[in-house]
Amino acid sequence: GAVVSQHPSRVICKSGTSVKIECRSLDFQATTMFWYRQFPKQSLMLMATSNEGSKATYEQGVEKDKFLINHASLTLSTLTVTSAHPEDSSFYICSALDGLALSYEQYFGPGTRLTVT
Amino acid sequence: QQQVKQSPQSLIVQKGGISIINCAYENTAFDYFPWYQQFPGKGPALLIAIRPDVSEKKEGRFTISFNKSAKQFSLHIMDSQPGDSATYFCAALKTSYDKVIFGPGTSLSVIP
């Protein structure tokens, strides 16, 4: 089956620093990738949708200058949390759509736990 | 605006019992309804999905029932096992738009 990886799985950073999270589709080409944020015991909140080679589309209320998304290739999307603060601590999850499959299934990564101290 | 409602918030079921989670949606443009299972510290994984032209879909111990007129759908887990203990999310999307709308989730605990 389709596999999506994320790196790192956990990261701890100091307030004010930037953190990059990678999302890779390992065995398929992902024309569209999604980034979600999940707080403890809550549902997934869509942050942005990225299409390969174009600018990401951010959901209302998500700061595009704070959460930089790059989808430079069909297998890689990155989320950079700039000038991170403790309130950015969360579980970040990416998902990807197989651009060649006649399917609407999103394949989810294992998530990245970000802790900002 | 919560477009997909889900209940109960938490559920405790004895091993071998039936777990039932209910969802309701508002937007009639939704045309694909997946269920996801998420274990702590992991990303969600697709469990089973249904389209509105089908009233029921079964895969192993998991069954989705769909009521288009009532805009409701439910997940039934037969012969529930402790390994089924996880958080379950119903979801809905318009396939022409790709964006998945998640329900708030149900925490299922299956006790021996």
Side-chain angles (χ1 to χ4, degrees), chain A residues 6-23:
Chain A
Q6 280 185 242
H7 177 80
S9 57
R10 291 176 177 269
V11 58
I12 301 172
C13 71
K14 292 186 176 181
S15 186
T17 61
S18 295
V19 174
K20 180 184 284 187
I21 302 170
E22 293 185 348
C23 176

Side-chain angles (χ1 to χ4, degrees), chain B residues 19 35 37 39 47-49 56-65 74-81 83-84 88 108:
Chain B
S19 303
W35 283 87
Q37 180 189 56
F39 292 104
L47 200 58
I48 186 172
E56 185 175 283
K57 183 175 181 180
K58 183 176 181 179
E59 290 184 0
R61 296 186 293 111
F62 301 94
T63 300
I64 300 178
S65 298
S74 60
L75 175 69
H76 289 62
I77 305 175
M78 311 300 285
D79 187 27
S80 299
Q81 299 297 312
D84 296 331
Y88 292 81
L108 171 64

